[in-house]
Amino acid sequence: MVVMPVLFTSARELERHINRLEVHYLAGHEGEVHFALLSDWTDSATESAPGDDALFASATDGIARLNARYGPAPGGARFLLLHRRRIWNESQRMWIGWERKRGKLHELNRLLRGATDTSFLSMDGWPPEVPSGVRYVITLDADTRLPRGTVKRLVGKMAHPLNIPTLDPSNRRVVAGYAVLQPRVTPLFPSAREGSMFNQVFTSPSGLDPYAFAVSDVYQDLFGEGSYIGKGIYDVDAFETALEGRIPESTLLSHDLLEGIFARSGLLSDIEVVEEFPSRYDVATARQHRWARGDWQLLPWIFGRDAKSGKVAIPPIGRWKMLDNLRRTLSAPAAFVALLVGWTLPADAALFWTGFVVATFAVPPLLAPFGGILPRASGISQRRHWRGVGVDFGLASLQITFTLAVLAHQAWLMADAVTRTLSRLYLSRQRLLEWTDAASLTSRTALDARAFYRLMTGGIALAAVA
């Protein structure tokens, strides 16, 4: 089953989700494959909100339209709508879909294995019907594109005898094979008509996305385990067994890495999915802030112990991955503080120290352009080769300049995410599941200079202090 966990925010976004589900079908419908919208309503102060029924009816009609157009699969309806009711969440003080995306997938797994007490809605009062015998689930975000033939290749990799998951019965952790396989994620190249300059610069081959264009992964190469980032294929039974009862409610916003540690994730560097990159800085920073909060919410897990056995719950390589994510969130604040400290030194030392700090984030974007100076193929004209090298250096220069320009704001953003998360984690225990979808951010933020100055107030204050 190919599933898209989504939120119903508007009729326009809903139609976009249904169209994307149809495109997924056209890209890989060979065999017994089913396609489902795994959906929630947006958060609300009440259990139901105006417009809920209209959106649910539109989604039902859209799925029925797809089933009428393409016909059933061997195991039943080809397209499914699996929509959940809101449940009161005390820490959020709101009615939300239970446990957000993690809850969607957990309840889906239980539904596929016959559970009747999930929060999925049905129009006739009965639990929704799902095909029997679903062995694998491929989960994709709303902005993920599935290249043609990817479904068959993912299933082939998962079913390979060397990848079949083996669970350790003592700690219920996959110790051989993989319960989840993560394909390579490539950012979508924007067209000149669709993309902003920010979008075009940061989706280039020398962009800053740590998951883009990976042909290997140090964790996979050295330890046989990759990092799960929420898009991939998993074995329903092994995945659910490895995670059952491990995560307390209302504690985790970013759950993918933790799930990949217990279920053992592998990287498929020869299979890729394509993901849209935010075209605006404000949307990108909101995503960064959410990721940073999610990473720091994993802090109790790094050295936490299993309640039953008393043993450290996370293996060493898993703890290192979590610590490395925390290190990444502290890079911008550390660079900013390092610059301030360096500027208190005598002039020559301050100049040298400033160059060193700038080089730490200027060198990585320049590696690809320098690596491309020597032609990798024969028969390329000098003019074409050097034009390409010039474009690469131009993009790298834009990335470095932009990174310097927003360093103060990035430092403020990450410091705010860390401080906010620690206070919620150890003091208030509230709003740990705070999350806003990209569609809502895009629609509500103005695009004038005044709005961006308000958005970046903290960074402007830090810059003034500097």
Side-chain angles (χ1 to χ4, degrees), residues 254-283:
S254 296
H255 48 88
D256 303 324
L257 179 61
L258 193 64
E259 290 170 341
I261 291 171
F262 286 120
R264 199 162 188 259
S265 171
L267 172 69
L268 302 177
S269 60
D270 60 335
I271 299 178
E272 71 173 357
V273 294
V274 181
E275 185 167 78
E276 296 174 8
F277 189 84
S279 62
R280 285 165 35 184
Y281 177 70
D282 59 324
V283 178

Side-chain angles (χ1 to χ4, degrees), residues 359-411:
T360 61
F361 51 83
V363 168
L366 289 171
L367 291 178
F370 275 111
I373 289 178
L374 294 178
R376 299 183 182 182
S378 59
I380 301 176
S381 69
Q382 288 273 354
R383 178 180 298 178
R384 182 176 180 183
H385 171 71
W386 291 112
R387 184 187 297 122
V389 171
V391 169
D392 287 346
F393 272 102
L395 287 173
S397 300
L398 281 172
Q399 289 174 9
I400 295 167
T401 304
F402 187 83
T403 302
L404 280 170
V406 298
L407 179 61
H409 180 247
Q410 286 286 310

Side-chain angles (χ1 to χ4, degrees), residues 163-338:
N163 292 335
I164 293 176
T166 301
L167 280 152
D168 182 341
S170 63
N171 59 23
R172 288 188 296 110
R173 190 163 54 83
V174 177
V175 293
Y178 303 98
V180 56
L181 290 175
Q182 169 72 54
R184 186 172 83 249
V185 179
T186 301
L188 177 68
F189 287 163
S191 66
R193 179 175 56 85
E194 295 175 343
S196 62
M197 177 179 285
F198 173 79
N199 189 252
Q200 293 174 19
V201 168
F202 284 93
T203 55
S204 68
S206 55
L208 303 182
D209 188 337
Y211 302 113
F213 302 98
V215 294
S216 67
D217 178 83
V218 65
Y219 299 118
Q220 184 71 55
D221 295 341
L222 297 181
F223 306 103
E225 297 184 24
S227 298
Y228 181 45
I229 59 172
K231 289 163 278 287
I233 182 171
Y234 65 83
D235 181 296
V236 173
D237 292 322
F239 189 84
E240 192 60 24
T241 302
L243 293 167
E244 185 179 5
R246 287 195 186 272
I247 303 174
E249 289 189 24
S250 301
T251 57
L252 282 190
L253 185 64
S254 296
H255 48 88
D256 303 324
L257 179 61
L258 193 64
E259 290 170 341
I261 291 171
F262 286 120
R264 199 162 188 259
S265 171
L267 172 69
L268 302 177
S269 60
D270 60 335
I271 299 178
E272 71 173 357
V273 294
V274 181
E275 185 167 78
E276 296 174 8
F277 189 84
S279 62
R280 285 165 35 184
Y281 177 70
D282 59 324
V283 178
T285 54
R287 187 167 71 165
Q288 284 180 291
H289 192 272
R290 185 177 74 242
W291 285 349
R293 287 190 289 113
D295 289 335
W296 280 88
Q297 284 179 18
L298 292 172
L299 193 61
W301 288 87
I302 295 178
F303 302 106
R305 295 181 178 272
D306 186 82
K308 293 183 179 179
S309 66
K311 299 178 180 179
V312 176
I314 306 294
I317 186 61
R319 295 199 296 274
W320 175 259
K321 289 179 183 179
M322 293 180 183
L323 286 169
D324 191 43
N325 280 356
L326 302 190
R327 187 270 313 162
R328 187 179 294 119
T329 64
L330 296 175
S331 296
F336 186 82
V337 171

Side-chain angles (χ1 to χ4, degrees), residues 113-131:
R113 293 300 176 257
T116 58
D117 58 345
T118 66
S119 62
F120 289 110
L121 294 174
S122 180
M123 295 187 68
D124 55 10
W126 293 91
E129 292 186 7
V130 293

Side-chain angles (χ1 to χ4, degrees), residues 152-161 163 181 268 270-271:
K152 181 183 289 187
R153 297 182 66 200
L154 286 172
V155 172
K157 296 281 188 179
M158 199 74 201
H160 192 283
N163 292 335
L181 290 175
L268 302 177
D270 60 335
I271 299 178

Side-chain angles (χ1 to χ4, degrees), residues 80-97:
L80 302 165
L81 174 64
L82 301 175
H83 186 77
R84 302 192 302 168
R85 67 178 184 274
R86 294 187 184 94
I87 293 177
W88 176 255
N89 185 282
E90 187 62 32
S91 72
Q92 293 296 116
R93 306 296 297 172
M94 297 283 281
W95 292 85
I96 69 172

